[in-house]
Amino acid sequence: MDVAKDEATAEARMTGRSQAKASRRAVMLDAAASLFAERGYNGVSIEELGAAAGVSGPAVYRHFSGKPAVLSALLIGVSEDLLEGGKAVVAESATPEIALRGLVEFQVDFALRQADVIRVQDRDLGSLPESDERRVRSLQRQYVEVWVDALSALHPGSDLPLLRHRAQGVFGLINSTSHTVRGRISARETARLRTLLDRMAWAALNAQ
């Protein structure tokens, strides 16, 4: 008996099952983002969520304890991704200006790719369980501070509360796109919108 080979095979099977489970979970979260954005959290049932993800309603419970857990996973997950991504942008940047421009590009890309999630958060954040809502707000505050630190490095000596207002204002500017652009748009239009948002955000961040 080749014990090492058997263990490797078992590990490969487990890895495959784990990847499949993670993929199904991601599909369900994508479906939830789309449905919640269209109808609102309270307007979507577990059965409808399952159908949109290509599974039965009861199958959703293999991945989430219920609809509140789906909303929590969606909003906490994206908040964690933003914070980790923002930190990575700064860590990989050689200068404060490069860091701030990178953060703008990162946020614009997020707004264009995750418009549904932005709409869900704007409307349904208060539907989260209290502890999960606190978690999301904490992650968001930390993300804001990543921007404030980058702004402060570029404009040393500036008033920190004012820099926070600048960052928050730019988030509003960029994220508002999710409410004004619905459905698919062409690659050309997306590129033009990306350029416009980059320029507007940079001007707002550095306004005197």
Side-chain angles (χ1 to χ4, degrees), residues 185-207:
I185 60 176
S186 68
R188 180 181 179 183
E189 187 176 354
T190 298
R192 291 176 62 187
L193 181 57
R194 186 186 300 276
T195 299
L196 176 64
L197 290 171
D198 281 341
R199 291 174 178 173
M200 291 173 66
W202 185 253
L205 287 169
N206 294 281

Side-chain angles (χ1 to χ4, degrees), residues 16 88 102 163:
L163 296 184

Side-chain angles (χ1 to χ4, degrees), residues 10-31:
E11 183 177 350
R13 288 174 179 168
M14 182 62 69
T15 299
R17 285 196 293 270
S18 298
Q19 290 175 341
K21 183 176 181 179
S23 178
R24 287 193 294 271
R25 179 183 171 91
V27 169
M28 290 179 188
L29 289 175
D30 285 344

Side-chain angles (χ1 to χ4, degrees), residues 12-149:
R13 288 174 179 168
M14 182 62 69
T15 299
R17 285 196 293 270
S18 298
Q19 290 175 341
K21 183 176 181 179
S23 178
R24 287 193 294 271
R25 179 183 171 91
V27 169
M28 290 179 188
L29 289 175
D30 285 344
S34 178
L35 287 176
F36 293 165
E38 179 183 354
R39 305 181 197 173
Y41 170 75
N42 292 323
V44 179
S45 68
I46 281 289
E47 289 71 22
E48 290 169 329
L49 175 57
V55 300
S56 65
V60 176
Y61 291 103
R62 297 174 190 164
H63 303 271
F64 304 97
S65 61
K67 197 170 69 164
V70 176
L71 183 63
S72 293
L74 181 66
L75 297 186
I76 291 175
V78 77
S79 298
E80 290 174 340
D81 289 346
L82 278 173
L83 178 57
E84 292 172 7
K87 288 180 176 179
V89 167
V90 173
E92 295 165 4
S93 299
T95 68
E97 179 175 344
I98 292 173
L100 193 58
R101 289 190 181 276
L103 287 172
V104 170
E105 292 175 6
F106 175 68
Q107 185 66 29
V108 168
D109 182 65
F110 166 74
L112 294 176
R113 289 186 301 102
Q114 300 282 6
D116 285 344
V117 177
I118 293 173
R119 290 199 293 272
V120 172
Q121 178 169 287
D122 287 349
R123 181 172 54 199
D124 294 314
L125 180 60
S127 295
L128 286 174
E130 185 177 350
S131 61
D132 290 340
E133 183 178 350
R134 287 198 302 269
R135 173 66 175 156
V136 169
R137 292 190 183 280
S138 174
L139 290 165
Q140 291 175 340
R141 286 193 296 270
Q142 293 176 65
Y143 182 54
V144 170
E145 291 309 305
V146 171
W147 282 65
V148 171
D149 289 346

